[in-house]
Amino acid sequence: MSEFDYDLFVIGGGSGGVRAARIAALYGAKVAIAEEYRYGGTCVIRGCVPKKLFVYASAYSEHFRDAKGYGWTVPEPSFDWPALIEHKDMEIARLEGIYRRNLQNAGVEIHETRACVAGPHEITLASHGRTVSAKHILVAVGGRPFVPDFPGSEHAITSNEMFHLPRLPKRILIAGGGYIACEFASIMNGMGVDTTLIYRGDQILRGFDDDVRAHVQAEMAKKGVKFIFNQVLDKLEKVEDALVAHVTNGETVAIDQAMFATGRKPNTDGLGLETADVALGRGGEIVVDAYSQTNCPSIFAVGDVTDRVNLTPVAIREGHAFADTVFGGKPTKADHELIPTAVFTQPEMGTVGMTEAQARERGRVEIYKTDFNQMKHAFAGRAERDFMKLIIDKESRKVLGAHIIGANAGEMIQMLGIAVKMGATKDDIDRTVAVHPTAAEELVTMREPVSD
Ligand code: NDP
């Protein structure tokens, strides 16, 4: 008999927590999990999944216009926001059910309550008012968006509320220049909302390749997104049913909605981590080692609460690696190298590996780029330009970075990510026969470096 109630107690039913709980249980561990809101976490409930559904919905405005170029007669389309929200909610409920069933099928005990750490092996369940014990605790409580404090900030919302707005605003101001701000700017613009993005820097998507940033920004602008650069929003004023946004340069913008996407915070407040002396970083994130173990040996943490690479598939990998390490007898470090990722702006962007600037710091490189109007769009009269860039190590010829902008860039980068992870060289890419006619074939037909 174990001296503990459970081998593993997982706090948080998002992507990382659910994967860890399931795999640990399949290894034979006695596992319980607690979630205070809905199973599925940020990704399923108020992140990747509903966001992608919104992306699909917003793209139809262009599809209807393109259709005319292909000979279709399309009556003036209209968009029903409440219908989209209703269908989205049904889909989220379906996915939440799948998450629960997968946990149940693996034999995980499911709790629907807030749970807090009460010591190195103790967890308090809020709804039961009781404390249980576990040999290991996994904290996978994720993060949350926030609106910074400024005059009128109570009138602003975050991405969380965007998924439940009763009405589609006519005009929106989105603050931030990262993944969430840019994705929502594209979504709103595609749905016909007069959209302005305000960013404190001079180019969106800091951290991505500079050519990519410039290209995405230019294409978003062509589609109608307005940008205010080098400024922040410093006051929001309610005027009847609308808002007036005051910008640091003295400009004002009349809007119906203001959304903040200026970063997220790890959900560590009030979690009881001090009862086990778990070390936190400056932003409140849980500090972990390569095995996701905290300084308290019985407590581990995965996903956004650790603020390493805040992506769903990474949290899943971290959760799986934790279960393999602790319950599967296979010590496994979470692999954070060469993570392919997509930003679902319009046009979409996919990237893996280094930016040109990072690669140049490391050594000599060859750069291949192409910029073209793909067949589907050219025929329909759409001026959108795709962009592809490969960054090659001059000596080894290995692909150090690959960047794609255009329809289905996320799908393309997933495939290219495999090759890059395997250590593909430019010669391997050159040896690959093109699939014709596709946009992706441009990846294997770039022959002349633009610079080295
Ligand atoms: P990011 O960290 O990507 O972006 C935050 C943005 O807010 C940056 O542009 C930042 O500017 C700006 N900002 C930060 N503080 C301030 C401030 N005080 N005043 C004005 N601007 C400020 O965060 P997001 O919230 O967009 O996304 C969080 C994470 O979620 C991402 O990093 C990503 O890992 C994940 N995500 C992934 C998605 C995907 O895979 N498609 C989709 C959505 C989210 P600056 O650049 O100058 O620092």
Side-chain angles (χ1 to χ4, degrees):
M1 273 294 281
S2 165
E3 58 182 299
F4 300 106
D5 297 324
Y6 303 100
D7 298 316
L8 171 65
F9 198 101
V10 179
I11 306 179
S15 304
V18 166
R19 172 60 69 93
R22 268 197 325 110
I23 302 302
L26 293 172
Y27 280 130
K30 186 177 180 197
V31 183
I33 186 167
E35 164 60 50
E36 65 179 332
Y37 184 51
R38 294 177 68 180
Y39 277 87
T42 299
C43 173
V44 175
I45 308 298
R46 51 186 119 64
C48 324
V49 173
K51 179 277 306 285
K52 188 77 188 275
L53 295 173
F54 280 13
V55 170
Y56 286 135
S58 67
Y60 276 92
S61 52
E62 285 190 325
H63 296 335
F64 288 126
R65 283 199 290 274
D66 290 353
K68 291 181 188 161
Y70 283 91
W72 291 91
T73 303
V74 183
E76 193 53 42
S78 64
F79 177 58
D80 184 346
W81 170 260
L84 173 66
I85 298 293
E86 188 189 329
H87 297 160
K88 180 265 297 174
D89 287 342
M90 279 160 52
E91 178 61 3
I92 301 309
R94 187 182 74 82
L95 294 173
E96 187 186 0
I98 293 174
Y99 264 66
R100 281 168 184 279
R101 271 198 303 285
N102 286 346
L103 284 166
Q104 278 157 355
N105 292 345
V108 176
E109 188 179 300
I110 299 178
H111 294 270
E112 305 196 26
T113 179
R114 180 166 172 82
C116 290
V117 175
H121 297 281
E122 288 77 38
I123 308 100
T124 306
L125 304 180
S127 63
H128 312 47
R130 70 184 169 107
T131 299
V132 296
S133 64
K135 187 168 183 194
H136 300 282
I137 298 172
L138 179 71
V139 182
V141 294
R144 64 179 189 287
F146 64 97
V147 178
D149 212 14
F150 66 92
S153 58
E154 68 276 13
H155 303 306
I157 60 169
T158 68
S159 54
N160 283 356
E161 292 75 45
M162 288 296 289
F163 294 113
H164 302 285
L165 285 181
R167 281 182 306 280
L168 185 66
K170 285 197 169 58
R171 301 161 300 179
I172 192 166
L173 183 69
I174 297 179
Y179 278 80
I180 297 178
C182 294
E183 289 182 344
F184 269 98
S186 287
I187 289 168
M188 288 290 107
N189 183 58
M191 288 178 180
V193 178
D194 180 346
T195 304
T196 307
L197 184 147
I198 180 165
Y199 174 50
R200 66 179 174 185
D202 57 9
Q203 198 165 62
I204 57 170
L205 295 169
R206 187 170 63 81
F208 291 93
D209 184 86
D210 287 339
D211 282 333
V212 166
R213 297 169 69 192
H215 193 98
V216 171
Q217 193 172 297
E219 289 298 325
M220 284 174 67
K222 266 204 262 180
K223 287 177 193 284
V225 176
K226 292 179 249 176
F227 291 96
I228 301 175
F229 289 116
N230 301 310
Q231 306 297 328
V232 294
L233 185 58
D234 63 2
K235 185 174 154 195
L236 268 179
E237 209 183 336
K238 187 130 181 84
V239 181
E240 294 172 1
D241 283 343
L243 295 169
V244 176
H246 294 257
V247 179
T248 27
N249 63 4
E251 253 183 74
T252 56
V253 191
I255 50 172
D256 305 300
Q257 196 79 63
M259 181 194 125
F260 267 77
T262 49
R264 296 173 61 91
K265 279 186 186 156
N267 279 330
T268 46
D269 294 349
L271 202 61
L273 292 162
E274 66 289 351
T275 61
D277 286 327
V278 173
L280 301 184
R282 278 182 30 200
E285 73 279 11
I286 299 180
V287 179
V288 290
D289 68 11
Y291 294 96
S292 300
Q293 190 170 29
T294 70
N295 59 314
C296 174
S298 56
I299 301 185
F300 291 71
V302 296
D304 288 6
V305 77
T306 63
D307 197 20
R308 287 177 281 179
V309 180
N310 298 332
L311 298 171
T312 298
V314 176
I316 291 172
R317 286 298 179 98
E318 290 168 357
H320 204 124
F322 154 78
D324 284 346
T325 302
V326 177
F327 299 100
K330 290 181 281 186
T332 309
K333 291 182 186 175
D335 180 1
H336 294 126
E337 289 300 310
L338 291 173
I339 296 168
T341 180
V343 185
F344 294 100
T345 40
Q346 286 170 28
E348 187 171 308
M349 186 250 275
T351 179
V352 63
M354 294 183 197
T355 65
E356 181 175 340
Q358 288 165 341
R360 285 196 185 282
E361 263 179 38
R362 191 178 157 276
R364 294 185 63 204
V365 292
E366 271 177 15
I367 307 293
Y368 295 81
K369 293 190 217 183
T370 176
D371 175 326
F372 58 99
N373 188 349
Q374 67 162 274
M375 186 199 252
K376 182 179 173 197
H377 299 154
F379 184 72
R382 204 200 289 188
E384 182 173 322
R385 295 196 72 78
D386 288 17
F387 176 77
M388 293 177 185
K389 178 170 179 178
L390 294 175
I391 297 154
I392 309 296
D393 181 85
K394 182 115 181 146
E395 207 172 312
S396 67
R397 310 277 298 145
K398 272 197 178 170
V399 182
L400 300 177
H403 310 275
I404 305 173
I405 301 167
N408 303 315
E411 310 288 343
M412 285 189 241
I413 208 69
Q414 179 69 84
M415 299 292 112
L416 197 55
I418 300 170
V420 175
K421 190 85 181 165
M422 289 174 74
T425 63
K426 180 67 171 65
D427 307 317
D428 294 324
I429 289 185
D430 290 346
R431 284 191 294 115
T432 306
V433 173
V435 178
H436 185 71
T438 63
E441 70 181 302
E442 297 283 334
L443 284 168
V444 299
T445 54
M446 287 185 268
R447 289 286 183 265
E448 290 302 318
V450 289
S451 66
D452 58 12

